[in-house]
Amino acid sequence: MGLHLFSRSIHPELFELCADREFVRDDYRIRVQITTAGHLISFRQDRLILSEVCSGIHQWLPNSGRLIACPIDSKHFAQNTWLDRMRWESRFQIEVVDPRVFLTIQQQLDKQQEFEGLVHRFASSGRIPMGSVSYVNIQAFQRFVT
């Protein structure tokens, strides 16, 4: 898997979408989409466009406008600031848990009705009775946070 940041929009037609949510603030929009192989996050403010893509290694992505490309392994943190008005930050970690622990986590997610970001529960592959869960946490502030 890889994480990519682009200074342009990325067409969602490149992906098989599972869930979609848009956050609208006074002067910008963030669209979060969970795909079968990761996620697509699009940020728009006036003429500034940033797109973050997390996808499998076999996913075709354009080269034009690519700012960052890095592999996804167990833990990651990256940040950049543009024009002293916007900070992009990405943090993630991949965890493998015992199926009983995963079932407990999934049951807690099922009880929760609202999320700060977007969550999607995938169907079971048959190996264990529940499928995987993808959760993208978005913190959409009204102004630049230092």
Side-chain angles (χ1 to χ4, degrees):
M1 296 210 38
L3 179 74
H4 307 268
L5 183 66
F6 295 88
S7 61
R8 56 170 278 190
S9 60
I10 302 296
H11 297 288
E13 297 85 19
L14 295 174
F15 308 96
E16 186 177 337
L17 298 179
C18 300
D20 190 346
R21 183 173 181 189
E22 187 170 49
F23 299 85
V24 178
R25 299 296 182 259
D26 288 344
D27 60 348
Y28 69 89
R29 295 173 175 267
I30 297 176
R31 186 169 186 184
V32 182
Q33 297 169 304
I34 294 176
T35 70
T36 55
H39 69 254
L40 171 61
I41 302 173
S42 302
F43 173 89
R44 293 178 183 268
Q45 181 185 46
D46 300 324
R47 300 183 82 186
L48 176 66
I49 299 172
L50 293 173
S51 298
E52 177 185 292
V53 178
C54 175
S55 66
I57 59 172
H58 299 295
Q59 174 68 51
W60 181 88
L61 294 171
N63 287 319
S64 67
R66 189 185 317 241
L67 302 172
I68 294 173
C70 63
I72 293 177
D73 41 25
S74 60
K75 240 180 180 178
H76 168 83
F77 172 74
Q79 69 179 12
N80 285 298
T81 302
W82 281 271
L83 307 171
D84 292 328
R85 68 177 188 166
M86 204 277 292
R87 183 176 69 206
W88 169 84
E89 219 176 77
S90 177
R91 296 174 190 257
F92 61 80
Q93 66 185 51
I94 298 172
E95 296 183 28
V96 178
V97 297
D98 179 89
R100 294 176 301 235
V101 173
F102 183 74
L103 179 59
T104 301
I105 292 169
Q106 191 167 25
Q107 288 169 341
Q108 290 173 351
L109 283 172
D110 286 342
K111 291 177 187 174
Q112 194 169 349
Q113 297 299 313
E114 294 206 17
F115 297 91
E116 290 180 356
L118 183 63
V119 67
H120 179 74
R121 294 162 188 88
F122 292 90
S124 169
S125 65
R127 190 170 54 101
I128 56 177
M130 67 287 230
S132 62
V133 175
S134 184
Y135 174 54
V136 179
N137 181 331
I138 295 295
Q139 295 179 2
F141 299 106
Q142 193 56 43
R143 60 180 145 312
F144 185 74
V145 178
T146 57

